[in-house]
Each structure stands twice: as structure tokens, then as C-alpha cells.
Amino acid sequence: MAMAGQLEDSEMIVHIGPQHPSLPGPFMLDLKLKGEVVQDAYLNMGYIHKGIEKLLENRTYLQCIPITDRMCYLSSLSNNEVFCSCVERLLGVEPPERAQYIRVLVQELSRIQSHLIGMGEFAEFIGFMSMFMFLVRERESIITLIEMITGARLTHTYGRFGGVRHDLPDGFVDRARKLLPAFEKKMRENVDTLESDEVYLERTEGVGKVSPEVAKQVGVTGPVLRASGIEYDIRRVEPTLVYPDLDFKVITDKRGDVFARVHCRFEEIFESLHIIDQCLDQMPAGEVRAKLPKTIKPEGEAYCRVEDPRGEMAMYVVGDGSPKPYRVKVRDPSYANLQALPPVLRGVYVADVVAIAGSMDTCISGVDR
């Protein structure tokens, strides 16, 4: 490490990673400690080398969709959505209204399952193993609904240019109406249990504060930004699909600490349930995919953004009139969110580092390009 030669006798370097239970995926965080206090933190990212963007540039547009699943397996439906939106913009195509509702529906279900596994892991990091199991148990009902639609539990490849792969299966709406109220009731109990625990409050309140100034300076988005009091959500500032027709609140919290980041995600789960209810009520009958040629050869450039569970997910796609994209650039929210760690970790106790890093809910697979 570069700073090793500049240490005082009372200082030491501690490596967290590149493989560590609290940071899934190859990622390394170097901490410069003096006693139990973090003096400085250094990020080392880039160990995966998946080369997603180059893979996309060497596949036909349709073959790219399964690749986008692999950018972050917890956000595969958001990744499908942003790529399909870019290609639709290049083609000048708009999905039928029913397909737009279905795409909103699956994105919100995906947001819920992602928040549940992220916050379950966070609870495990700070010693709440039972809460991890409770949240994973509740997640199963959401995964079951997604599986009914896409046929998969992890990598869905469900979005299509101009719509979705296929319509909702028979019985889905009735199943959703039966499962979701019971899910909401259990989640309220889980959140109340966690947020009333004195140990949990000691570990999270006032810990790892991200000020609005730092949040904007390093470019964080999603719940990390909104937990610092900034009301910014792509679903509101640049809405796509039928989001403008739906009623929902942008959840914010002014505290900016670990508690606020986790609390925002829990409240977003309830807001997503509200959106799903509206989709089930308002979804019209009709086609679920616009008619397009079997092989598409778009030309031009497009930049699209969606509100991923972790923040602003964006893609820039350039088409040169061939069956494959000429250039693809991905903007993943986790890369920017991790930039908040070094300034936030300076001056905290080393015992709080895992809690702070876990509250960022980063996906290391999304960080590496």
C-alpha cells in the first residue's frame, strides 16, 4: 500500500478484502488506523474484469439482454429496462400501455427483493442474524411472484424492445393480491422489531453520516442520497413508462446516518407496494409488444436512466446501422456510492466500518467494468 511508508509508530494499516464476508465480491478497502480510530480509507476497485461493455459490443442487440442481467444479479430487471429503453429510443418505438405497466410492476417487485436481501445482509453484518433470516423469508414471496412472470429467480431476461417477453400468466393478479397484504403486515412487524432494538439504535444512529454536501460532491444517488435529505429520484425527475400516472412519495430522511439509509430502503418497500397496487388496478388489456423486424439495426445514439434499487442506473448506446451496438457505456450507481466511503470513514471507530459500508448496499459486480 502506498501509505505504508508514511506511518507513524502508533499507526497501522488494516485490509478489508479483497474477499471479506461484509463486502461480497472482489473489493478491497484499506484502512489507516490509529488505535481504534480510522485516520484514512483507500478504495481499491477493479478485480472482477467482466468486460460487460465489450461483451455487449460483440453481440446482437437481442443477445445483449441476457448479458445485462449479469451486470448486477439483484437488479437484472432494472438493467434489462435501461438497455431496452435505449434501444427503443434509437428505434423511435414506444411499448404498448399494458407492457409499460408490466415493466413498472416487475421493476418495483425487483426493488423490494433487492432491498430485502441488502438490508438482510446489513443486519447480519452487525449481528442480527435472525433478522437476516426473517427478511430472506419475506423475500421468498416476492421472488415467487417474479418467477411466475419471468420463469426465473435471478437472471430474468424479461424486457424486450417495444415491450416484454410475454404477458402476465393466468392467476398472477389474484396471487399478487393475496400475497402482498400478508407480506406488508410481516414487513411492518420486522421493521418495528428492528428499529425498536436498543443495540440496533446504538449501532446505527449518528453513525457514518453523509452530509448533503459530500453526497452531491461524490455523486451518490438512490437511497444513500435521499437519506441525506435530497429528494432526487429518476422516477420523478425523468419519468419513463407510466410512472407519471402513478401516485407515490419520494422517501427522504435528513439524518444522513446508517439508520437513515436503512430506514429509507424499508420505507421504499412500502411505497413500491403502493405502486404495485395501482398497476394491478389500472393495467389495461391489450398487446404487450410492439411489432418490430426480427433483426434490428438502429442508428444514432441514446442515453437513458432508470431508478435502480441502488440509485441512478444509466446507459449510453451508439448504433451504427449494424446488428450490434457500436459502443455501450454503463453508469452503475454502486461505483459512485462507494466514493462516499473514504470521507465518511475518516474519524469513525473501526468497529463501525462494516456497518457503514453495509449501509451503502453496493453491488461490487456493478462496480467493475
Side-chain angles (χ1 to χ4, degrees):
M1 180 180 173
M3 294 300 294
Q6 304 172 22
L7 295 178
E8 299 175 4
D9 291 342
S10 58
E11 294 175 334
M12 65 181 295
I13 298 295
V14 171
H15 302 294
I16 297 184
Q19 297 291 341
H20 191 276
S22 68
L23 294 168
F27 163 82
M28 192 158 79
L29 179 66
D30 293 332
L31 301 176
K32 180 180 175 183
L33 303 180
K34 190 170 188 176
E36 296 185 28
V37 178
V38 177
Q39 302 296 304
D40 217 338
Y42 308 89
L43 286 170
N44 288 279
M45 294 188 282
Y47 289 96
I48 301 180
H49 301 300
K50 292 195 295 187
I52 288 285
E53 290 163 341
K54 288 302 170 192
L55 284 173
L56 293 172
E57 292 165 12
N58 286 280
R59 302 289 188 281
T60 66
Y61 285 92
L62 188 59
Q63 289 172 337
C64 286
I65 297 176
I67 304 292
T68 63
D69 284 338
R70 275 73 180 173
M71 292 193 298
C72 172
Y73 69 90
L74 291 173
S75 305
S76 61
L77 287 161
S78 301
N79 297 337
N80 291 169
E81 176 61 36
V82 69
F83 182 69
C84 289
S85 296
C86 274
V87 176
E88 285 164 359
R89 191 167 292 182
L90 288 175
L91 294 169
V93 172
E94 184 173 329
E97 190 177 7
R98 180 173 178 82
Q100 294 188 37
Y101 272 103
I102 294 174
R103 276 161 61 162
V104 169
L105 175 73
V106 296
Q107 281 196 75
E108 296 307 319
L109 287 171
S110 178
R111 189 181 319 283
I112 294 172
Q113 63 82 26
S114 178
H115 282 350
L116 287 174
I117 194 70
M119 295 306 90
E121 287 181 343
F122 166 79
E124 181 193 7
F125 295 162
I126 59 173
F128 290 77
M129 178 60 81
S130 296
M131 185 54 64
F132 168 75
M133 291 189 281
F134 293 160
L135 297 183
V136 169
R137 180 190 63 190
E138 317 311 352
R139 182 174 176 259
E140 280 301 299
S141 57
I142 303 300
I143 293 291
T144 299
L145 291 176
I146 296 176
E147 188 179 12
M148 280 184 72
I149 301 173
T150 68
R153 296 175 66 82
L154 202 64
T155 49
H156 304 283
T157 318
Y158 183 62
R160 286 294 184 274
F161 313 127
V164 293
R165 194 171 72 215
H166 51 67
D167 205 343
L168 297 177
D170 293 339
F172 172 82
V173 174
D174 291 339
R175 185 77 183 272
R177 290 196 190 284
K178 181 180 178 183
L179 281 177
L180 294 179
F183 167 81
E184 183 173 8
K185 182 181 177 185
K186 288 179 181 175
M187 277 306 302
R188 283 290 180 198
E189 292 172 0
N190 291 330
V191 174
D192 290 344
T193 300
L194 187 65
E195 294 188 349
S196 62
D197 188 282
E198 290 188 12
V199 175
Y200 177 75
L201 296 178
E202 285 290 329
R203 293 296 311 272
T204 58
E205 283 189 325
V207 175
K209 284 188 176 181
V210 179
S211 67
E213 293 74 24
V214 169
K216 289 186 280 189
Q217 189 178 30
V218 300
V220 301
T221 54
V224 178
L225 178 68
R226 293 190 285 272
S228 295
I230 299 174
E231 189 176 327
Y232 182 86
D233 189 314
I234 300 298
R235 295 174 294 177
R236 280 286 186 228
V237 300
E238 195 175 296
T240 57
L241 303 174
V242 291
Y243 276 113
D245 301 330
L246 300 172
D247 171 53
F248 63 95
K249 291 186 294 185
V250 176
I251 304 296
T252 59
D253 195 307
K254 293 183 178 178
R255 288 170 284 192
D257 54 10
V258 170
F259 181 93
R261 289 190 283 277
V262 178
H263 179 74
C264 272
R265 292 187 183 95
F266 282 135
E267 291 303 314
E268 286 188 3
I269 288 174
F270 299 118
E271 209 58 36
S272 289
L273 290 172
H274 180 47
I275 293 174
I276 292 167
D277 278 342
Q278 294 173 73
C279 289
L280 295 176
D281 289 340
Q282 300 175 18
M283 190 182 304
E287 299 293 324
V288 295
R289 201 189 312 180
K291 290 183 179 178
L292 292 173
K294 199 168 185 180
T295 303
I296 57 170
K297 299 177 180 180
E299 193 167 3
E301 58 183 0
Y303 183 79
C304 292
R305 305 188 290 172
V306 300
E307 187 63 34
D308 181 272
R310 287 161 191 78
E312 181 179 328
M313 175 77 193
M315 264 197 188
Y316 173 63
V317 178
V318 179
D320 61 356
S322 72
K324 301 176 183 177
Y326 173 75
R327 183 74 180 98
V328 179
K329 177 66 180 171
V330 180
R331 192 272 186 203
D332 189 279
S334 292
Y335 190 89
N337 290 351
L338 278 175
Q339 307 305 311
L341 276 182
V344 172
L345 292 180
R346 291 183 194 116
V348 307
Y349 286 108
V350 67
D352 291 330
V353 169
V354 169
I356 296 169
S359 70
M360 296 296 175
D361 188 24
T362 51
C363 178
I364 303 302
S365 297
V367 168
D368 199 296
R369 291 276 73 85

